[in-house]
Amino acid sequence: MPPMTSDHELSKADLLRVVDAVREMSHATSSGDHHEMLVLALRVAIRVTESDGAVVYRLNEAGDELTRVVSEPHYDQLQDSFGRMRVDRTWTGKSTSRARASATPVANLPPAAQQVLLAVGFVHVATVPLYVRGLPIGTVNLSRRRDEPYTQRELRITEILSDLLVVHVENARLFADANARLDEMRMLLEVARSVTASHSLAERLETSADILARMLGASNAIIALVEDEEDVLRGVASANAELRDFVRTIRIPIAATSAAARAVRTMKTVLVADVEHSSEARSDLVQRFGQKSLVALPLIAHGNAIGVVVIDDTHGARVWEAAEIQRGELIAVQVATAVANARLFEKVKQSYEQLALAQEELVKQEKLAALGQLAATLAHEVRNPLGVLFNSLGTLTKLLPRTGDVALLLSIMGEESRRLDRLMRDLLDFARPVRPSIEPHSLAEEIDGALRAAVQQLGPDCASFSSEVPSDLPRISFDQAMMRQALVNLLTNGAQAAGVGGSVVIRVAIESGKRGPLARIEVSDTGPGIPSDLAERVFEPFFTTKAMGTGLGLSIVKSIIEAHGGWIEFTSDTATGTCARLRLPLERRGGP
Ligand SMILES: Nc1ncnc2c1ncn2[C@@H]1O[C@H](COP(=O)(O)OP(=O)(O)OP(=O)(O)O)[C@@H](O)[C@H]1O
Ligand SMILES: [Mg+2]
């Protein structure tokens, strides 16, 4: 080694230079730009040590390799040769472990290094290790073209500058870290706030997707949820508003070869650094989204994968950093919890509504049962005296002359007694438990019988009746007396609504229902229709709009038809009148 200048002591001028350098470097620190700061530090080092080139190397975590971070003039030309260096095989590398600055003429280096350095004109080199809290993190290398060895004094100055550089770099890193943390906290808070806000789940998911994309510096974030019953992922939200409509059309089977589906299946994050060379990216989606790289984060709630967030980059293949993924996973947990909570809330709401309905129905049933009992008792008690009244009336009619006021009063008594009798009959029908005895019958014959009975009940001055029954109608199973009563009730309602001059038509057809074939029986009239505000009430017992009605007719029809496993519905409008439609299953399964 050539002798170095013996002057170890720093002169006042040296100290002033150092102070100047410190001031200059502090300016750079405040910008927070890492790279800019290093470049500035290198320039200061070059100036202070009168060098021609400088470079900073960073030591990897394993401590066995140095990577060039930043360099000032000329080192760029050496990039290929000195971009990376093994610690154990290079002069710079070995110097790192000595923890002291060292210098050497290039001529003393191994021939390969010599060749490269001499080619750029460097004659002397120096290396100064960088330490943070006693651990090596890299080196600063200086080189000079003049044939003048680095002095101990120069190395001391560089050491001081390097120490300062490290402090500044550390500060800047801490500052940047703190800022990033702060940003992260802000975003997390934003997610937390948005996922608990009262707006709809869909909106919350859009906001979360947006925050996720921003937080990871991604091009887009898409959220897909597992459909409840099908094994499919359904797109629900996208950070990119222009893609929202398209995202909602996405369906990916969970068994599919897809990064998103695998994330759901394995409940683990799936990274696709380079979409172009992956078999797990769906070409149709890649084409639409322009994804070059993606991450699929599973949404896990209560130990189940309920969906996935796919974050993509459309700029190029990208190595997603562990810290980024961790942040993404943290948000995914919040999103999953929000979805699970929203679903839970929806379920609770639904069960509550069902419960309320069931309770309402129960109360209704109880009321009806009580009403039925009351009606039965009442009808039974009233019918006996009513019988006596009828008999007496019959006798009186025979005894008294049928003229004047006597005749009028007798006829009124007769009329009202019959009305009372009919009410009692209806009450008994209504109260009687409906247990049909079902056997095959001809529905056509039943309809004829019902038409005759209706005419008899209504008298000659009423609407006209007609029927349209297919001649090949098969025999159908029902309780004859009950069916007759149901049909008569519907026909009389129709005729009463249509009035004299109006018409009532009864039609029968066979149709196929969800659970097998059905007989459809329609009774249409030309009446004024049922006012929409009353439509709900027509099946209520005792609901009537007629002066002489009991309001039991349709309740009886309903319970009869339901006892046969069928149902009844009305369509009605003021222009065309009303149509009561009965549906009767032809094949009966279980039930009464
Ligand atoms: N075809 C129809 N057109 C218009 N309104 C109807 C028709 N059928 C029923 N309604 C309405 O429904 C109410 C209830 O009918 P329901 O047959 O139960 O009792 P009602 O006919 O009034 O009395 P009841 O049948 O006991 O003599 C009727 O009062 C009427 O307001
Ligand atoms: Mg009626």
Side-chain angles (χ1 to χ4, degrees), residues 506-566:
I506 179 163
R507 293 184 184 88
V508 181
I510 302 295
E511 61 178 29
S512 51
K514 268 191 201 154
R515 299 186 177 186
L518 301 163
R520 189 182 69 214
I521 307 167
E522 289 178 350
V523 179
S524 317
D525 63 60
T526 55
I530 303 172
S532 57
D533 54 327
L534 300 184
E536 287 254 308
R537 306 195 54 197
V538 295
F539 293 112
E540 274 177 26
F542 305 109
F543 172 77
T544 180
T545 53
K546 300 169 193 169
M548 306 288 266
T550 64
L552 288 172
L554 286 179
S555 336
I556 294 169
V557 174
K558 189 164 186 279
S559 51
I560 289 176
I561 209 71
E562 284 175 358
H564 281 78

Side-chain angles (χ1 to χ4, degrees), residues 436 438-439 476-478 515 517 560-566 584-592:
I438 291 173
E439 272 166 44
I476 294 173
S477 294
F478 51 80
R515 299 186 177 186
I560 289 176
I561 209 71
E562 284 175 358
H564 281 78
L584 204 62
L586 297 187
E587 290 158 12
R588 291 179 50 78
R589 291 149 213 252

